[in-house]
Amino acid sequence: MEREFESTLLENAVGELSRLPGIGRKTALRLALHLLRQEEKTSDSLGQAIIDLRHGIRYCHECHNISETDTCPICADMTRDHRTICVVETVKDVMSFESTRQYTGVYHVLGGVISPMDGISPDQLQISSLIERVAAGDIDEVILALSATMEGDTTNYYLYRRLSSLPAKVTQLARGISVAGEIQYTDELTLARSLINRTPFSI
Amino acid sequence: MEREFESTLLENAVGELSRLPGIGRKTALRLALHLLRQEEKTSDSLGQAIIDLRHGIRYCHECHNISETDTCPICADMTRDHRTICVVETVKDVMSFESTRQYTGVYHVLGGVISPMDGISPDQLQISSLIERVAAGDIDEVILALSATMEGDTTNYYLYRRLSSLPAKVTQLARGISVAGEIQYTDELTLARSLINRTPFSI
């Protein structure tokens, strides 16, 4: 990208901002000019927060969730059920499950799903550490909570194969119509699945 | 906004990022998680560029354009025509005119337009410094290059009144159909204006 602005500092800031996903040169310029209109402490604290974030955050050595300590607060919480592991793709998925307030077990963040198209093979994911955790024993259940996509299903199947020789029970998320979902707007595959896996009526 | 994440560092970064215009909490979280996946130097250089930007950039004491020096490169350029001042709203407008490569005069950045609705009065803009520049003499022409909005027109009229007692000629941008603009998609006001201000045919 050619140099566009008279000011090297502006050029630099726009260049760096536009490397963020979903932010092009135009948006980056708008953000930079916005920052120039604010007080110095506004851009100082933004810049510092970005620097501190990456320096201060590491990955939990147990579940690979982000953490400010070697063991994340979830793994360190002894009131949680450490015999149930929920396997998720990303850190964000942990946040999603936590926000349901329905899950009291621990997690294992794979860091993605197997995707030959994107060049992601099993050894680039946190799979062997999962197998080790489960093989170490004291695990009752492994919940596969991956996306219901082709890559997610492939990964589910791969994990199931790797885990099947171990004593832990392997389960996966229920698939069916969304809560508040209308039948007419639900796709056929989901509808078929919801019929096959129908559950006893309850209120 | 309530604290949402376990990590103070993440909470901080998301909070700071979401103060940027057009960036909500969800986008801010996406950006923060993206930065966490990058190398340390990526977020370091982004953070530092943001901090340096605001510290290193000041406003040209002559035209109020952004600059790394007291006098901006445009005002300092003695090959430019310093007897013609193009009055614009923002720093970004200077960039737009510069990118046309058609203008060789200097600028005066008002910092906005008069807008009673947004509480912007003439004394919050760089108007008196413009009058002083023109009154100091040696100015042949002041080009009013403000937006063709109600606020822009109000400001144009206000500036015209303030400048009319001074010897400089006051002009404004031509209004008419856009280059490559189709008649059928041009609004009536613009069309009427383009008819009234028609120019001799040229190729």
Side-chain angles (χ1 to χ4, degrees):
Chain A
M1 179 68 69
E2 69 171 309
R3 197 163 175 287
E4 194 178 336
F5 309 117
E6 285 283 351
S7 160
T8 317
L9 292 171
L10 184 61
E11 179 60 46
N12 231 350
V14 170
E16 289 291 339
L17 283 166
S18 63
R19 291 171 65 183
L20 291 171
I23 294 187
R25 297 269 305 174
K26 283 201 171 188
T27 307
L29 175 60
R30 191 166 55 79
L31 295 178
L33 293 177
H34 166 84
L35 285 170
L36 281 173
R37 285 192 302 270
Q38 310 303 306
E39 285 180 58
E40 247 173 44
K41 67 174 165 52
T42 305
S43 49
D44 281 357
S45 54
L46 170 61
Q48 204 56 51
I50 288 171
I51 292 171
D52 293 346
L53 176 72
R54 185 65 182 74
H55 283 267
I57 286 192
R58 65 201 78 184
Y59 292 91
C60 173
H61 69 102
E62 191 75 25
C63 73
H64 311 289
N65 188 12
I66 53 169
S67 173
E68 292 179 24
T69 45
D70 279 344
T71 305
C72 76
I74 295 174
C75 287
D77 183 351
M78 281 307 148
T79 67
R80 297 186 74 122
D81 171 15
H82 284 248
R83 302 174 73 91
T84 305
I85 298 177
C86 179
V87 179
V88 295
E89 287 169 45
T90 66
V91 166
K92 213 167 162 182
D93 296 339
V94 173
M95 293 177 188
S96 299
F97 279 106
E98 284 299 287
S99 69
T100 67
R101 297 172 196 274
Q102 292 295 313
Y103 181 66
T104 55
V106 292
Y107 295 93
H108 191 92
V109 181
L110 288 185
V113 282
I114 300 168
S115 173
M117 290 283 284
D118 302 313
I120 300 173
S121 60
D123 55 294
Q124 286 168 273
L125 303 172
Q126 292 293 349
I127 290 180
S128 51
S129 60
L130 171 66
I131 307 298
E132 280 165 33
R133 266 179 95 179
V134 180
D138 287 342
I139 304 297
D140 292 335
E141 182 178 356
V142 177
I143 306 169
L144 301 178
L146 306 181
S147 295
T149 57
M150 200 172 69
E151 290 79 11
D153 284 342
T154 305
T155 312
N156 270 339
Y157 184 68
Y158 181 87
L159 291 175
Y160 176 72
R161 288 281 300 266
R162 295 278 306 264
L163 291 165
S164 58
S165 59
L166 299 170
K169 182 170 67 174
V170 179
T171 59
Q172 69 177 350
L173 294 185
R175 294 184 187 175
I177 58 172
S178 312
V179 174
E182 290 186 42
I183 299 291
Q184 62 176 326
Y185 300 125
T186 306
D187 68 284
E188 295 82 353
L189 287 174
T190 304
L191 217 48
R193 195 70 172 257
S194 73
L195 200 57
I196 294 165
N197 296 338
R198 63 193 179 278
T199 56
F201 183 78
S202 68
I203 48 165
Chain B
M1 179 69 68
E2 70 171 309
R3 199 165 172 286
E4 194 178 337
F5 309 117
E6 285 282 351
S7 159
T8 315
L9 292 170
L10 183 61
E11 179 61 44
N12 231 350
V14 171
E16 290 291 340
L17 284 165
S18 64
R19 290 171 66 182
L20 291 170
I23 294 187
R25 298 270 304 174
K26 283 200 172 189
T27 307
L29 174 59
R30 191 167 55 79
L31 295 177
L33 292 177
H34 167 84
L35 286 170
L36 280 172
R37 284 193 301 270
Q38 310 302 308
E39 285 181 61
E40 245 172 46
K41 66 171 165 48
T42 305
S43 49
D44 280 358
S45 55
L46 169 62
Q48 204 57 51
I50 289 172
I51 292 172
D52 293 346
L53 176 72
R54 185 63 182 75
H55 283 267
I57 285 191
R58 64 200 79 182
Y59 291 90
C60 173
H61 69 102
E62 191 76 23
C63 73
H64 311 288
N65 188 13
I66 54 169
S67 173
E68 293 180 24
T69 44
D70 280 344
T71 304
C72 77
I74 295 174
C75 286
D77 183 350
M78 280 307 146
T79 67
R80 295 186 75 122
D81 169 15
H82 284 250
R83 300 174 74 90
T84 305
I85 299 178
C86 179
V87 180
V88 294
E89 288 169 44
T90 66
V91 166
K92 212 166 161 183
D93 296 339
V94 173
M95 294 177 188
S96 300
F97 279 106
E98 284 299 288
S99 68
T100 67
R101 297 172 197 273
Q102 292 297 314
Y103 182 66
T104 55
V106 292
Y107 295 93
H108 190 92
V109 181
L110 288 185
V113 282
I114 300 169
S115 173
M117 290 284 283
D118 302 314
I120 300 173
S121 60
D123 54 294
Q124 287 168 273
L125 304 171
Q126 293 293 350
I127 290 180
S128 51
S129 61
L130 171 66
I131 306 300
E132 279 164 33
R133 267 179 94 179
V134 180
D138 286 340
I139 304 298
D140 291 335
E141 182 177 356
V142 177
I143 305 169
L144 301 178
L146 307 181
S147 294
T149 58
M150 200 173 69
E151 290 79 11
D153 284 342
T154 305
T155 312
N156 271 340
Y157 184 67
Y158 180 87
L159 291 175
Y160 176 71
R161 287 282 299 266
R162 294 280 306 263
L163 291 166
S164 59
S165 59
L166 299 170
K169 181 168 67 171
V170 180
T171 59
Q172 68 178 352
L173 295 183
R175 294 185 186 175
I177 59 172
S178 313
V179 174
E182 292 185 42
I183 299 292
Q184 61 177 328
Y185 300 125
T186 306
D187 68 282
E188 295 82 354
L189 287 174
T190 303
L191 217 47
R193 195 72 171 252
S194 73
L195 200 58
I196 294 165
N197 296 339
R198 64 194 179 278
T199 57
F201 183 79
S202 66
I203 47 166

